[in-house]
DNA sequence: CCAAAAGTGTTGCTTTTACACCCATGA
DNA sequence: TCATGGGTGTAAAAGCAACACTTTTGG
């Protein structure tokens, strides 16, 4: 809003405000996003991000969480604001300003099936973001490809300097499971031994539960919970793409 | 927007969409923000961020740039989206969702005096963010303190890993001038010699003009322009607050 | 036994830091 | 001449990557 005298909210231009959510998980060794298939024009038959109107009495974040629960039944996952997309013409029907959120959910994603008529599905993000795939048969509605791309970028970047990766893990997890998150989201191989030293040496990142597990095979591994640290210092460095 | 069937933009709830801008500069050795004094209720007499409605045919970023030009006459400065603030009740008159932008402008800030009736002023951000100052006599309207704080945080963080600092410098600048930006925004002292090596050694950050200057006294210094690099690798590390 | 994953030790290299030192100007 | 800021050299310390090696399970 403005401090200028020209500001009179009773004469606001007609705009609709919605939230769209990029919900990511790790499924079968790849990064996947929740998408809904559109049953009506415009973009009938295309996939779109889950989302909807912001109702008068809820915050933007609450609206995003509500939409997520309607589609997945899940609550309490990581949720952060991603950005706002409001170009005129992005929705052919009217001016729609959409506040996008990024959400992350642990490994075995909830089975889909909300109160909603539209069907939601998990798809590998590469299907929609990788240009080298066979003829973009998979097209996202509106500017949702851009939003999905921004969400994936955000997640990739934040793994370096925040504890975000643990949002992809169950409540208790091993160092190996955490490493696999980094490897899948970044699409790289990490040295298991140096990774182990790094994450266990970063104070506040991981908290040992004292328990061990043998799931995954091999020698039993310690179980950890997320620690209180929000920013990782030193960061977990992403290997720079090897120049050839 | 939604892929669900419940989405009908013709029945959107009444919401106003505005842009607010955190415009920062460096003035007299401190970080300062442009604020306008409100001439009407609510918050009459308080300071607020410059901003206003998004008109039907402009993008969000264009609206922010337009508001800035109306207040300062300046154009072409760095401008990036900061975040969106839409809690119900943040404006007592109606539901207002505000998309905040962060803008940076070089050293000698343009004199203020736009077409607008309201008067704009530069104030050190510490006046509004530092809690230890005498009784918060300086209060920002709405949730603008939070927005200002988020903007300053963003700028501080991005100095580390992006070329953002050059947005505070004139077209041509010396390494010493660039260093002063870092020192003022971060509120730390940096070793001039190591800083020089670091920034001149980061490929694509600075481009030598070939010219020299003696402004600022002492031995003549090389002049540089911003280079093409968007992300700094390696980053310019902010000294960690020394634990005592 | 072997394979697989967890975890520790060590070594050489790169980066960072701290600071000694010299340079080129204006006053 | 001195004060001021610009810039280079260098050595100690810290951080990081690569990889040999040991541990503990399941099959």
């Amino acid at each position: 809003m403005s401090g200028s005298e020209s500001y009179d909210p009773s004469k606001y231009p007609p705009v609709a405000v919605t939230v769209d959510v990029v919900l990511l998980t790790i499924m079968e060794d790849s990064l996947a996003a929740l998408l809904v298939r559109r049953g009506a024009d415009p973009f009938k038959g295309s996939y779109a991000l889950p989302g909807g109107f912001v109702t008068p009495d809820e915050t933007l974040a609450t609206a995003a969480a509500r939409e997520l629960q309607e589609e997945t039944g899940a609550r309490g996952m990581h949720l952060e604001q991603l950005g706002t997309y409001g170009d005129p013409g992005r929705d052919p029907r009217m001016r729609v300003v959409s506040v996008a959120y990024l959400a992350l959910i642990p490994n075995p994603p909830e089975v889909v099936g909300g109160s909603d008529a539209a069907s939601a599905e998990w798809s590998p993000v590469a299907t929609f973001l990788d240009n080298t795939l066979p003829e973009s048969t998979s097209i996202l509605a509106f500017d949702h490809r851009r939003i999905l791309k921004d969400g994936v970028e955000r997640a990739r970047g934040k793994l370096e300097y925040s504890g975000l990766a643990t949002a992809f893990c169950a409540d208790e997890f091993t160092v190996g499971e955490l490493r696999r998150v980094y490897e899948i989201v970044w699409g790289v191989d990490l040295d298991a031994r140096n990774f182990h030293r790094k994450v266990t040496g970063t104070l506040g990142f991981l908290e040992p539960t004292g328990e061990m597990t043998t799931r995954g095979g091999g020698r039993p591994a310690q179980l950890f919970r997320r620690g209180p640290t929000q920013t990782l210092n030193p960061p977990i460095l992403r290997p720079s793409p090897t120049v050839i």
Side-chain angles (χ1 to χ4, degrees), chain A:
Chain A
M1 70 223 61
S2 167
S4 83
E5 309 313 312
S6 63
Y7 171 46
D8 175 5
S10 64
K11 292 188 295 191
Y12 61 95
V15 186
V17 175
T18 62
V19 290
D20 287 323
V21 184
V22 177
L23 174 59
L24 301 178
T25 197
I26 287 176
M27 232 179 87
E28 291 160 23
D29 287 337
S30 61
L31 189 62
L34 188 74
L35 297 172
V36 297
R37 197 184 268 282
R38 288 185 54 79
D41 272 323
F43 296 101
K44 180 170 176 172
S46 295
Y47 285 99
L49 298 172
F53 283 122
V54 178
T55 65
D57 294 325
E58 66 188 353
T59 67
L60 301 171
T62 305
R66 175 180 52 72
E67 293 290 342
L68 277 182
Q69 196 181 0
E70 286 172 13
E71 298 289 355
T72 67
R75 306 202 308 171
M77 74 276 284
H78 175 90
L79 186 67
E80 68 179 54
Q81 200 184 99
L82 179 60
T84 297
Y85 301 78
D87 281 1
R90 63 185 286 278
D91 188 315
R93 293 164 293 182
M94 70 171 294
R95 184 74 187 263
V96 178
V97 170
S98 185
V99 184
Y101 277 78
L102 172 65
L104 307 183
I105 199 171
N107 234 308
E110 315 298 308
V111 185
V112 177
S115 61
D116 226 310
S119 58
E121 305 170 25
W122 291 101
S123 316
V125 298
T127 311
F128 294 93
L129 297 185
D130 190 349
N131 282 327
T132 68
L133 282 181
E135 279 300 308
S136 32
T137 30
S138 44
I139 293 187
L140 289 178
F142 309 105
D143 51 2
H144 287 192
R145 183 180 191 278
R146 176 5 64 93
I147 301 177
L148 176 62
K149 193 175 167 206
D150 290 348
V152 171
E153 287 283 305
R154 169 80 64 93
R156 287 196 173 130
K158 280 193 81 168
L159 289 202
E160 287 202 78
Y161 60 89
S162 79
L164 195 68
T166 59
F168 282 113
C169 296
D171 245 34
E172 304 198 341
F173 53 89
T174 68
V175 172
E177 288 160 4
L178 183 65
R179 176 169 48 84
R180 204 140 18 241
V181 169
Y182 277 90
E183 291 179 330
I184 290 169
V185 176
W186 283 347
V188 298
D189 281 334
L190 299 176
D191 184 289
R193 299 156 292 183
N194 291 333
F195 182 86
H196 184 279
R197 225 191 320 256
K198 226 182 239 181
V199 296
T200 54
T202 299
L203 290 178
F205 187 16
L206 302 183
E207 287 195 336
T209 64
E211 306 292 307
M212 308 282 281
T213 183
T214 63
R215 68 176 181 234
R219 169 175 166 180
Q222 280 186 269
L223 280 171
F224 294 87
R225 258 189 283 275
R226 339 177 193 298
T229 294
Q230 294 299 310
T231 56
L232 260 38
N233 202 294
I236 313 292
L237 290 177
R238 167 159 37 169
S240 38
T242 311
V243 183
I244 311 178

